[in-house]
Amino acid sequence: MQTFYERVYEAVCRIPRGRVATYGQIALMAGSPRASRIVGGALHRNPRPGEIPCHRVVNREGRLAPDFAFGGTDAQAALLRMEGVEVVDGYVDLAKYRWMGG
């Protein structure tokens, strides 16, 4: 049986390039809709940073992670911009870039 963290990583890997999802979306996909903070902890401990695209996860307002574990907010913004996601003042427009897959 998969751990919650494993389910989180699996869900994050489903987010396509050029799209973002929220911590809450990932928590729901991983089977624990109220565990968005734990999703943040899982992503902070990402065991495969080049493979699990944790930079594609933002908060419910579209704000980037203030403590992005792999280089800070600037690094997260740069990774998103390389995928075509516009980042303005540390935010992503969820109406435009939010992935609605499940």
Side-chain angles (χ1 to χ4, degrees):
M1 182 168 196
Q2 284 185 314
T3 68
F4 180 71
Y5 276 25
E6 289 168 334
R7 292 192 309 271
V8 165
Y9 301 141
E10 184 177 275
V12 171
C13 285
R14 294 174 58 195
I15 307 167
R17 287 180 60 86
R19 295 287 180 195
V20 297
T22 65
Y23 295 102
Q25 278 179 269
I26 299 302
L28 181 64
M29 290 173 65
S32 295
R34 299 182 57 120
S36 56
R37 287 181 185 248
I38 298 171
V39 168
L43 297 181
H44 195 75
R45 293 168 184 79
N46 182 348
R48 301 184 312 273
E51 184 181 332
I52 300 168
C54 58
H55 65 282
R56 296 180 187 153
V57 182
V58 298
N59 82 357
R60 66 182 177 206
E61 299 166 343
R63 186 169 57 92
L64 304 186
D67 297 320
F68 183 65
F70 306 99
T73 304
D74 290 342
Q76 184 179 12
L79 289 168
L80 289 170
R81 286 182 180 122
M82 286 190 320
E83 296 183 358
V85 175
E86 186 178 359
V87 179
V88 178
D89 295 327
Y91 285 83
V92 170
D93 181 351
L94 290 177
K96 185 173 183 180
Y97 295 105
R98 184 180 199 158
W99 175 59
M100 296 307 291

